[in-house]
């Protein structure tokens, strides 16, 4: 969430930055925010002034009563009563204004940083790096949704039977491959100093608002109505919310956490031929890395997180590319996002497997996540997160890119985790 003080001081700069997202009615929304903020501050100032006058009158009344000037004291008591009534009337007005202001602030996305290009969609993202050789498959190579049937390792029909579309059942070597990838990703994160966290996979409303999934992604999250809880769309939500309303000290930074969770997304209206099989699911597994840093260190942390994800893809022998997302393709909370995409040889297209983002102070402001520096000054922190990695499209690419006449070859780095080197 943007800070009102920043909007007040840097309105034109914010408008220019948000234009990269190609938003409509932006200036009108910011003007409404500033108008509500002015009303809030004026009401608060009036309330504070009246409270100070009331306190002053109380002392004066006490002095008059002691000196026997009862009549004058009674006159001041009448004024005090009027002040208390006015303060009581201002209370609901202030609360209503603050509520309206907060609701509107929740609708304004983060401002893209300077290097983010303007754009409305994926076609305007920038390819900043590419690695690996696209494999040339033999004639008759199959897409993963055919391979999983051939080797009986993932079953969409069974998942549909017990849950619905988008909830696959992993079997035999398919299940072991899932577990191997999770353990590999967690071990690699631990080697870089990330502390493993196993968080709840349901969160309350405050957590959803804290990291920005609510109200922006409300329709995409599975909601447990009776308990007003939400199934998490990513481990970022519970792991970052560990630090909601927390004041860290400088020597506790940076915070580096990693966690594996299942993730749940309704993905309403996103089904079609281009998202067959594992390309898009309602439930999938993912290892997430999260960092909390001082503002001056967050872009170095972003580079380190991208390098970590790229290193995983190299070890898995998967050709990939790194994209800098344009303003219109970035997430609501993000100041900058890099996507990593792997090449699927059987589908002949790129598949997104990771997003690494710096949110700067956007989440920290919602979370009230701050630190106190050595001079005792309080500051908002920067939060970052990245998929390291999401499993479905990684599995799809491993199956498609490594298919041979003898079976599907397992990347060497995974063999110690799977216990086998071929699916056949």
């Amino acid at each position: 969430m943007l800070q009102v003080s920043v909007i007040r001081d840097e309105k034109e700069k914010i408008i220019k930055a948000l234009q990269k997202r190609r938003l409509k009615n932006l200036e009108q929304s910011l003007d409404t925010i500033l108008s509500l903020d002015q009303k809030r501050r004026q009401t608060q100032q009036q309330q504070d002034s009246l409270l100070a006058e009331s306190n002053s009158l109380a002392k004066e009344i006490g002095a008059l009563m002691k000196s026997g000037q009862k009549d004058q004291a009674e006159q001041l008591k009448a004024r005090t009563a009027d002040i208390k009534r006015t303060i009581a009337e201002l209370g609901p007005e202030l609360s209503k204004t603050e509520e309206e202001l907060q609701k509107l602030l929740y609708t304004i996305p983060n401002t893209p940083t300077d290097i983010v290009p303007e754009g409305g969609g994926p076609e305007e993202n920038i390819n900043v790096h590419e690695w690996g050789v696209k494999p040339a498959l033999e004639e008759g190579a199959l897409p993963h949704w055919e391979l999983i049937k051939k080797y009986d390792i993932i079953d969409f029909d069974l998942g549909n039977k017990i849950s619905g579309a988008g909830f696959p059942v992993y079997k035999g070597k398919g299940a072991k491959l899932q577990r191997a990838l999770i353990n590999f990703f967690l071990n690699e994160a631990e080697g870089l100093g990330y502390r493993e966290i196993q968080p709840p996979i349901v969160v309350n409303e405050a957590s959803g608002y804290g990291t920005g999934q609510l109200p922006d992604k409300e329709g995409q999250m599975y909601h447990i109505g009776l308990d007003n809880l939400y199934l998490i769309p990513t481990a970022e939500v519970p792991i970052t919310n560990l630090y909601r309303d927390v004041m860290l000290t400088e020597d506790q930074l940076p915070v580096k956490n990693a966690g594996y969770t299942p993730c749940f997304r309704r993905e309403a209206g996103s089904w079609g031929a281009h998202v067959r099989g594992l390309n898009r699911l309602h439930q999938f597994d993912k290892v997430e890395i999260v960092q909390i840093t001082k503002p001056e260190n967050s872009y170095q942390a972003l580079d380190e997180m991208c390098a970590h994800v790229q290193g995983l893809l190299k070890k898995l022998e998967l050709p990939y590319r790194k994209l800098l997302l344009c303003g219109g393709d970035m997430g609501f909370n993000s100041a900058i996002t890099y996507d990593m995409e792997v090449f699927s040889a059987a589908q002949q297209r790129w598949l997104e497997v990771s997003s690494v983002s710096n949110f700067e102070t956007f989440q920290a402001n919602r979370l009230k996540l701050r630190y106190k520096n050595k001079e005792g000054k309080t500051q908002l922190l920067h939060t970052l997160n990245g998929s390291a990695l999401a499993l479905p499209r990684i599995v799809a690419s491993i199956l498609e890119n490594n298919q041979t006449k003898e079976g599907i070859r397992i990347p060497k780095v995974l063999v110690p985790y799977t216990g086998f080197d071929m699916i056949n």
Side-chain angles (χ1 to χ4, degrees):
M1 183 170 68
L2 299 181
Q3 295 171 269
V4 180
S5 58
V6 175
I7 297 174
R8 197 163 53 234
D9 296 339
E10 303 178 11
K11 177 188 165 186
E12 295 307 317
K13 181 180 177 182
I14 288 170
I15 289 173
K16 185 177 179 181
L18 286 176
Q19 282 172 345
K20 291 181 177 183
R21 293 181 177 270
R22 295 186 178 170
L23 300 175
K24 296 179 181 179
N25 303 319
L26 175 61
E27 190 165 0
Q28 182 180 345
S29 296
L30 293 181
D31 285 340
T32 304
I33 284 172
L34 293 177
S35 177
L36 286 168
D37 176 53
Q38 184 178 16
K39 182 180 178 182
R40 176 188 63 82
R41 287 186 294 134
Q42 287 175 342
T43 306
Q44 184 69 65
Q45 187 177 21
Q46 185 181 359
Q47 197 176 56
D48 292 345
S49 177
L50 288 170
L51 186 59
E53 184 182 351
S54 178
N55 291 336
S56 177
L57 287 174
K59 293 178 183 178
E60 207 174 327
I61 289 167
L64 289 171
M65 293 295 285
K66 283 183 180 179
S67 63
Q69 301 178 66
K70 188 176 179 181
D71 290 344
Q72 291 181 354
E74 291 300 325
Q75 290 175 8
L76 293 182
K77 283 182 181 180
R79 170 60 184 156
T80 300
D82 289 340
I83 289 173
K84 287 181 177 178
R85 278 193 295 271
T86 303
I87 290 175
E89 291 168 359
L90 288 173
E93 182 182 337
L94 180 61
S95 296
K96 182 182 177 183
T97 303
E98 288 176 336
E99 185 179 344
E100 290 176 4
L101 176 60
Q102 189 79 352
K103 283 183 178 179
L104 192 50
L105 282 168
Y106 279 143
T107 68
I108 306 297
N110 202 356
T111 52
T113 196
D114 291 344
I115 68 168
V116 172
E118 180 183 348
E123 63 283 353
E124 293 169 282
N125 295 335
I126 297 175
N127 186 349
V128 296
H129 179 70
E130 201 165 311
W131 177 90
V133 178
K134 298 174 183 177
L137 299 181
E138 296 177 359
E139 188 177 348
L142 301 173
H144 71 271
W145 52 83
E146 298 296 340
L147 291 170
I148 62 176
K149 294 177 183 176
K150 179 178 179 179
Y151 295 106
D152 193 27
I153 53 175
I154 303 173
D155 197 318
F156 278 88
D157 291 334
L158 279 178
N160 189 50
K161 173 184 175 181
I162 60 178
S163 299
F167 294 91
V169 173
Y170 299 85
K171 303 188 293 185
K173 288 186 175 181
K176 288 181 179 180
L177 178 58
Q178 288 279 111
R179 180 156 48 91
L181 284 164
I182 292 164
N183 287 334
F184 169 60
F185 294 152
L186 286 173
N187 286 349
E188 291 290 303
E190 184 181 21
L192 289 178
Y194 288 88
R195 178 180 61 161
E196 185 175 346
I197 300 289
Q198 188 172 20
I201 61 171
V202 295
V203 294
N204 56 28
E205 199 171 68
S207 294
Y209 275 97
T211 44
Q213 278 66 40
L214 295 176
D216 180 56
K217 300 294 184 189
E218 189 165 6
Q220 291 295 316
M221 296 172 72
Y222 284 97
H223 183 226
I224 306 168
L226 186 63
D227 302 297
N228 196 26
L229 296 171
Y230 293 84
L231 293 175
I232 62 169
T234 167
E236 167 208 343
V237 182
I239 291 177
T240 309
N241 268 281
L242 295 173
Y243 302 92
R244 176 157 42 94
D245 298 318
V246 169
M247 176 80 73
L248 294 170
T249 56
E250 199 162 356
D251 59 1
Q252 292 175 294
L253 299 169
V255 171
K256 296 174 70 175
N257 289 327
Y260 152 71
T261 64
C263 303
F264 303 88
R265 299 182 187 180
R266 294 185 66 244
E267 302 285 10
S270 62
W271 302 101
H274 66 293
V275 288
R276 290 188 65 182
L278 296 170
N279 289 345
R280 182 151 298 170
L281 302 174
H282 286 315
Q283 178 183 332
F284 60 95
D285 292 320
K286 180 155 66 84
V287 171
E288 194 81 358
I289 53 175
V290 174
Q291 285 207 40
I292 299 169
T293 74
K294 293 192 291 185
E296 61 267 28
N297 298 334
S298 69
Y299 278 86
Q300 180 183 341
L302 179 68
D303 290 341
E304 290 171 357
M305 292 168 76
C306 287
H308 171 57
V309 173
Q310 291 169 255
L312 294 175
L313 296 173
K314 287 179 180 179
K315 289 179 180 181
L316 291 172
E317 306 164 43
L318 293 173
Y320 72 85
R321 66 181 184 181
K322 176 183 179 182
L323 302 179
L324 172 61
L325 300 195
C326 69
D329 202 33
M330 287 199 317
F332 181 87
N333 302 317
S334 180
I336 182 171
T337 295
Y338 289 100
D339 272 6
M340 310 300 168
E341 297 183 339
V342 296
F343 188 75
S344 166
Q347 298 179 64
Q348 284 292 299
R349 67 190 189 95
W350 294 96
L351 303 175
E352 180 206 330
V353 294
S354 175
S355 287
V356 185
S357 300
N358 188 347
F359 306 116
E360 296 188 352
T361 61
F362 192 81
Q363 288 183 331
N365 189 36
R366 287 174 173 240
L367 294 160
K368 295 182 173 59
L369 169 55
R370 299 151 294 165
Y371 84 105
K372 190 169 286 189
N373 64 24
K374 292 173 183 176
E375 290 74 41
K377 183 181 177 182
T378 299
Q379 240 181 309
L380 287 171
L381 288 157
H382 281 195
T383 61
L384 305 93
N385 85 281
S387 316
L389 289 157
L391 270 67
R393 294 172 187 170
I394 290 290
V395 171
S397 298
I398 288 173
L399 297 179
E400 293 180 0
N401 292 7
N402 297 336
Q403 58 183 301
T404 69
K405 291 179 179 178
E406 292 74 35
I408 298 168
R409 181 183 61 83
I410 299 298
K412 291 179 182 178
V413 74
L414 290 180
V415 173
Y417 294 91
T418 58
F420 54 86
D421 60 7
M422 291 286 288
I423 295 176
N424 47 28

